[in-house]
Amino acid sequence: GESVGLHLPTLSVQEGDNSIINCAYSNSASDYFIWYKQESGKGPQFIIDIRSNMDKRQGQRVTVLLNKTVKHLSLQIAATQPGDSAVYFCAENMNYGGSQGNLIFGKGTKLSVKP
Amino acid sequence: DAGITQSPRHKVTETGTPVTLRCHQTENHRYMYWYRQDPGHGLRLIHYSYGVKDTDKGEVSDGYSVSRSKTEDFLLTLESATSSQTSVYFCAIGSGVRETQYFGPGTRLLVL
């Protein structure tokens, strides 16, 4: 989910379990979405993207689901590993005519994997 | 980091001094972006470039300027640094609008 202050929401999971991280996006005109992973002290790393003409997209151990009706995006990580511990955030690209559609980023969710 | 380097990686400076951060890419991507990241905020766009000498403002551009004289380099300048500009700055590159942006490792800037 989205944070509303200095403290990010945290999801704590057991190693080997599946993780689901949620994101509510802001604009119904958004048509491109990306999930990023950011480890401490590093830059955001691309995980997976999805366009609005799709509801689901799968990658290696990750699945992104898009529900345009309720403007909701989720990232599912299968068989979560300690190396998956990081902050995850979504980004949306708003299509506003005549201008560059820049990415708008959520504040992120911290995933903590317990061994 | 997808062929993106940022320099310096860390900098401490004093209020009122000019600071220039450099982003260098080896991917030949047309678009380049500067973001800042602060606790309690998502990544916020400062400026971006859509080609050599083509730049535009982002959400938080006040107090910052940019230049892009070559495809591979995008410079961010703080003309007179203020404490509110203490942040982590990330450069990103992309091949087009509504395409993935790839991020550099970041520059941690402290303005005293």
Side-chain angles (χ1 to χ4, degrees), chain A residues 32-109:
Chain A
Y32 178 58
F33 306 87
I34 308 173
W35 277 102
Y36 286 94
K37 171 187 180 182
Q38 187 174 23
E39 297 174 275
S40 181
K42 295 186 177 180
Q45 176 187 356
F46 169 82
I47 301 174
I48 192 168
D49 59 359
I50 189 168
R51 299 192 186 274
S52 59
N53 61 350
M54 303 173 70
D55 297 322
K56 179 180 180 179
R57 190 168 187 214
Q58 289 184 291
Q60 186 177 7
R61 279 201 309 120
V62 295
T63 301
V64 55
L65 299 177
L66 175 61
N67 185 330
K68 294 180 286 293
T69 302
V70 295
K71 294 189 289 184
H72 184 268
L73 197 65
S74 68
L75 177 70
Q76 299 177 0
I77 304 174
T80 312
Q81 303 168 359
D84 294 327
S85 294
V87 174
Y88 291 80
F89 52 89
C90 63
E92 63 183 292
N93 186 293
M94 290 193 287
N95 178 15
Y96 41 100
S99 180
Q100 305 292 335
N102 292 314
L103 291 177
I104 305 297
F105 292 85
K107 298 182 182 67
T109 296

Side-chain angles (χ1 to χ4, degrees), chain B residues 37-92:
Chain B
Q37 187 176 44
D38 305 287
H41 298 274
L43 286 159
R44 293 182 291 173
L45 182 65
I46 304 171
H47 282 279
Y48 65 98
S49 169
Y50 47 98
V52 173
K53 292 186 168 50
D54 292 322
T55 64
D56 205 350
K57 295 179 179 181
E59 177 189 357
V60 290
S61 59
D62 287 348
Y64 301 95
S65 62
V66 290
S67 66
R68 191 165 178 205
S69 59
K70 299 185 290 185
T71 298
E72 56 266 35
D73 289 326
F74 192 33
L75 304 180
L76 176 71
T77 297
L78 292 64
E79 300 290 348
S80 178
T82 67
S83 58
S84 65
Q85 293 176 312
T86 291
S87 187
V88 181
Y89 291 86
F90 289 101
C91 174

